């Protein structure tokens, strides 16, 4: 999915003649913390709510142009770039421009989150297993083979580093909820199963709650 395909038609823009109070009112109405400033279809930058809150509400945005942020993504790049920018700058929307810096539109944070959920498989039904391992030991073919021996398939796989612990993790989405047999297989092959979420987890929680209730009633 390209950035231009996720543009929201409802996010407004500001111009240099708008006042601080007008900009703040629009941000409040549309529940955003930034808005793009545009002049003659050219993107001038992003103005932040925090900067406006510390300014004279009667002042025009033109007097604050030194505070504009130039952050933006290009229309024809992959949406993951917008996700990265969203995280890096703590944005509620991401402006989209073309090669000539012409303003195309803005992508809302919620739309990026939804698309990311589709791409990572988070929105698809099934179980999830997270493995912790040495990066040099990572082999997709081996992981896939172990899952398939249990009559299941990997529908999504993502690997990432945890910089806080310097650990390498592999998150595997499985096309079924009952994953206890797959977890057991990974453990049998000495994989470190860090987390797993599936049907058996909820069944175990239900059993534990039931046991606690029975123990309470027997007191």
């Amino acid at each position: 999915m390209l950035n231009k395909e996720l543009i929201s038609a409802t996010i407004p823009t500001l111009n240099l003649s708008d006042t601080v109070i007008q900009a703040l009112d629009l941000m409040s109405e549309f529940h955003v913390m930034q808005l793009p400033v545009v002049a003659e279809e050219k993107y001038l930058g992003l103005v932040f709510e925090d900067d406006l809150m510390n300014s004279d509400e009667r002042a025009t945005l033109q007097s604050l142009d030194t505070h504009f942020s130039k952050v933006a993504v290009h229309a024809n790049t992959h949406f993951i770039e917008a996700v990265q920018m969203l995280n890096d700058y703590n944005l509620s929307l991401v402006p989209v421009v073309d090669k000539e810096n012409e303003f195309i539109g803005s992508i809302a944070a919620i739309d990026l989150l939804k698309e990311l959920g589709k791409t990572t498989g988070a929105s698809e039904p099934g179980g999830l297993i997270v493995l912790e391992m040495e990066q040099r030991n990572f082999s997709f073919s081996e992981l896939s083979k172990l899952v398939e021996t249990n009559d299941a398939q990997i529908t999504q796989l993502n690997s990432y580093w945890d910089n806080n612990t310097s650990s390498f993790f592999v998150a595997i989405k499985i096309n079924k909820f009952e994953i206890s047999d797959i977890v057991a297989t990974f453990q049998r092959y000495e994989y470190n199963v860090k987390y797993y979420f599936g049907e058996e987890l909820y069944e175990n929680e239900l059993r534990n709650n039931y046991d606690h209730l029975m123990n309470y009633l027997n007191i």
Side-chain angles (χ1 to χ4, degrees):
M1 182 74 72
L2 301 181
N3 289 320
K4 64 183 179 182
E5 299 175 271
L6 291 174
I7 288 174
S8 171
T10 61
I11 299 175
T13 61
L14 299 167
N15 58 65
L16 292 174
S17 62
D18 288 331
T19 63
V20 168
I21 190 62
Q22 287 175 322
L24 287 172
D25 286 344
L26 271 179
M27 289 180 184
S28 176
E29 180 181 350
F30 287 88
H31 307 290
V32 294
M33 295 181 293
Q34 308 86 24
L35 278 175
V37 183
V38 178
E40 297 180 353
E41 299 185 352
K42 295 293 184 181
Y43 174 63
L44 302 182
L46 201 61
V47 63
F48 284 69
E49 183 183 48
D50 289 344
D51 291 328
L52 297 178
M53 294 292 289
N54 296 320
S55 304
D56 182 353
E57 65 179 23
R58 294 169 297 180
T60 63
L61 297 184
Q62 188 166 14
S63 65
L64 301 173
D65 61 353
T66 57
H67 294 283
F68 295 170
S69 171
K70 300 300 183 181
V71 296
V73 294
H74 288 286
N76 291 313
T77 56
H78 195 267
F79 85 94
I80 201 67
E81 178 189 6
V83 173
Q84 186 64 50
M85 187 163 290
L86 194 81
N87 290 331
D88 289 346
Y89 295 94
N90 193 28
L91 303 177
S92 53
L93 59 88
V94 180
V96 181
V97 298
D98 66 7
K99 292 182 179 180
E100 303 300 324
N101 203 42
E102 182 177 339
F103 182 74
I104 306 299
S106 298
I107 308 174
I110 187 64
D111 293 330
L112 284 173
L113 185 60
K114 289 177 180 178
E115 190 62 30
L116 188 63
K118 294 177 184 178
T119 303
T120 60
S123 58
E124 297 296 323
L128 178 70
I129 300 173
V130 180
L131 306 175
E132 182 179 9
M133 66 177 69
E134 294 289 334
Q135 187 177 23
R136 64 176 180 272
N137 294 332
F138 170 69
S139 169
F140 175 80
S141 60
E142 181 174 326
L143 297 178
S144 180
K145 181 175 67 175
L146 293 177
V147 170
E148 289 173 359
T149 59
N150 291 281
D151 297 322
Q153 291 182 333
I154 295 176
T155 57
Q156 187 70 36
L157 184 147
N158 294 285
S159 61
Y160 58 94
W161 279 97
D162 185 334
N163 293 325
N164 294 324
T165 61
S166 298
S167 299
F168 182 72
F169 293 97
V170 179
I172 305 171
K173 193 69 179 285
I174 310 296
N175 67 340
K176 66 177 186 177
F177 283 107
E178 173 51 59
I179 57 174
S180 57
D181 52 347
I182 302 173
V183 171
T185 298
F186 280 132
Q187 292 172 334
R188 187 166 64 252
Y189 281 83
E190 300 184 345
Y191 280 94
N192 181 14
V193 179
K194 191 70 175 179
Y195 314 105
Y196 60 93
F197 307 92
E199 188 175 87
E200 75 288 341
L201 177 62
Y202 303 110
E203 289 178 351
N204 290 338
E205 288 179 349
L206 183 62
R207 169 57 62 182
N208 288 336
N209 292 337
Y210 176 80
D211 291 340
H212 288 318
L213 176 62
M214 290 298 100
N215 290 336
Y216 174 77
L217 294 176
N218 289 332
I219 294 177

